[in-house]
């Protein structure tokens, strides 16, 4: 008989690629993870993982079991949801991980809405970038992730997750007031290429917004020369106002910001876009505590 908790461990090892990282995510010791993997191999009668210099990878038998693991764990989430519904789970706490502007745009309005419509549901919010929030969700550290599409993100049909699209917003060009293109009604992105010698300011690699900026520049035919890096868009705008470079910033991040010293212009042509979605572990979308949170996020996005 295969124990479900060992399947959680197998999936964590597959996700993190090392026993140490999987153990940290599961709040276990590396030796405990190794012992559970060994026990799982004994239960199945197959070698499931191979250890090498670059970490751990699944064997073909491990990959087969992982494909069933995603379905089994999703079904367990559904079982918990139905049991909670049976018990009229009208009170409890849901933990939501979201990036800063996502919190302002949809999470905070959803929290206020739930305070009126479902006062028994408490919301605990954690600030996390879009890529980090999905990992936290899969590691069961949070219940809901508000994330951004990016290269390498789990696809919408990932068997581990259920996606709910929330909103899409364009990036605007931010340049110093003295920039040669500051008087243009729209900013031609190709004119900010490396040939123009414009330095760029942007998020660090790994931040989903970094991918949006780089992909937009690649589509315009160049690689941005990133001279300054910050994940805080207030810092990005402040640097632009100091004539340190140019940037692309999500429109919602500019709301209420001090824009003295910069000019904000829409991008000429097809603007780079940040696509935001909510995600839960597959099977949990029907949980009586999680379902109202997803509905409140969706309503907040529609009204935003």
């Amino acid at each position: 008989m295969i124990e479900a908790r060992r399947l959680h461990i197998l999936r964590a090892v597959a996700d993190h690629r090392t026993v140490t990282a999987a153990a940290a995510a599961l709040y276990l010791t590396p030796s405990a993870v190794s012992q559970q993997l060994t026990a799982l191999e004994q239960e199945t009668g197959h070698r499931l993982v191979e250890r090498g210099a670059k970490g751990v990878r699944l064997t073909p038998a491990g990959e087969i079991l992982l494909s069933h693991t995603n379905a089994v764990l999703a079904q367990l989430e559904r079982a918990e949801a139905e049991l909670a519904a049976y018990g009229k789970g009208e009170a409890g706490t849901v933990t939501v991980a979201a990036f800063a502007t996502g919190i302002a745009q949809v999470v905070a309005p959803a929290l206020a809405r739930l305070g009126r419509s479902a006062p028994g549901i408490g919301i605990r919010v954690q600030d996390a970038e879009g890529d980090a929030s999905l990992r936290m969700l899969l590691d069961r550290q949070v219940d809901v992730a508000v994330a951004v599409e990016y290269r390498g993100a789990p696809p919408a049909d990932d068997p581990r997750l259920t996606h709910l699209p929330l909103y899409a917003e364009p990036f605007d060009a931010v340049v110093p007031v003295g920039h040669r293109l500051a008087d243009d009604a729209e900013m031609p992105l190709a004119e900010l290429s490396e040939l123009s010698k414009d330095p760029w300011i942007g998020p660090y690699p790994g931040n989903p917004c970094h991918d949006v900026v780089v992909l937009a520049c690649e589509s315009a035919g160049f690689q941005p020369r990133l001279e300054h890096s910050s994940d805080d868009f207030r810092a990005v705008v402040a640097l632009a106002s100091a004539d340190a470079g140019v940037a692309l910033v999500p429109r919602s991040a500019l709301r209420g910001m001090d824009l003295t010293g910069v000019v904000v212009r829409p991008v000429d042509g097809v603007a780079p876009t940040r696509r935001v979605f909510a995600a839960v572990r597959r099977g949990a979308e029907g949980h009586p505590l999680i379902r109202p949170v997803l509905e409140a996020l969706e309503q907040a996005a529609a009204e935003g």
Side-chain angles (χ1 to χ4, degrees), residues 159-177:
R160 301 169 297 175
L161 299 171
T162 294
H163 284 230
L164 176 69
L166 293 177
Y167 65 93
E169 63 172 327
F171 281 58
D172 288 327
V174 178
V175 301
V177 290

Side-chain angles (χ1 to χ4, degrees), residues 94-124:
V94 175
T95 303
V96 179
F99 56 98
T101 50
I103 292 173
Q105 186 85 352
V106 292
V107 176
L111 189 152
R113 179 185 299 276
L114 287 165
R116 300 187 297 270
S117 63
I121 299 177
I123 303 295
R124 182 180 295 117

Side-chain angles (χ1 to χ4, degrees), residues 140-297:
R140 306 182 69 83
Q141 296 171 12
V142 300
D143 304 302
V144 179
V146 175
V148 178
E149 291 181 6
Y150 62 96
R151 283 190 289 193
D157 60 353
D158 190 296
R160 301 169 297 175
L161 299 171
T162 294
H163 284 230
L164 176 69
L166 293 177
Y167 65 93
E169 63 172 327
F171 281 58
D172 288 327
V174 178
V175 301
V177 290
H179 193 272
R180 66 188 184 283
L181 301 175
D183 292 333
D184 290 8
E186 293 184 328
M187 195 68 63
L189 199 56
E191 295 297 321
L192 301 175
S193 71
E194 72 273 13
L195 297 177
S196 68
K197 307 301 182 184
D198 280 311
W200 279 73
I201 313 159
Y204 284 101
N207 185 316
C209 288
H210 174 89
D211 281 351
V212 175
V213 171
V214 171
L215 283 171
C217 293
E218 288 176 353
S219 296
F222 69 97
Q223 287 279 345
R225 181 165 59 89
L226 283 165
E227 291 285 338
H228 311 285
S229 297
S230 175
D231 288 335
D232 187 334
F233 286 115
R234 290 170 300 180
V236 170
V237 170
L239 287 168
S241 71
D243 204 20
V246 300
L248 292 174
V249 178
R251 188 166 292 172
S252 67
L254 295 168
R255 292 176 184 167
M257 194 181 292
D258 181 5
L259 299 177
T260 303
V262 298
V263 171
V264 178
R265 293 287 184 266
V267 173
D268 186 20
V270 179
T273 302
R274 174 162 71 173
R275 303 186 187 282
V276 180
F277 63 93
V280 298
R281 292 181 295 277
R282 183 157 296 196
E285 61 274 9
H287 193 288
L289 295 178
I290 292 177
R291 185 178 63 253
V293 175
L294 294 177
E295 291 172 351
L297 288 170

Side-chain angles (χ1 to χ4, degrees), residues 8-112:
H8 280 294
I9 290 172
L10 178 70
R11 187 160 80 177
V13 169
D15 286 342
H16 292 278
R17 300 297 182 185
T18 71
V19 168
T20 301
L26 297 171
Y27 300 101
L28 297 172
T29 64
S31 61
V33 169
S34 295
Q35 289 170 7
Q36 292 300 316
L37 286 174
T38 299
L40 185 58
E41 288 179 329
Q42 292 172 347
E43 288 174 346
T44 60
H46 292 279
R47 187 179 182 186
L48 302 175
V49 297
E50 291 180 346
R51 293 170 174 80
K54 296 183 179 180
V56 176
R57 68 179 185 86
L58 298 188
T59 65
E63 293 286 356
I64 291 172
L65 183 57
L66 179 65
S67 67
H68 290 284
T69 292
N70 292 327
V72 168
L73 295 183
Q75 190 60 42
L76 286 174
E77 293 279 1
R78 294 186 189 97
E80 290 180 6
E82 290 185 16
L83 286 171
Y86 176 77
K88 295 185 178 179
E90 296 174 349
T93 300
V94 175
T95 303
V96 179
F99 56 98
T101 50
I103 292 173
Q105 186 85 352
V106 292
V107 176
L111 189 152

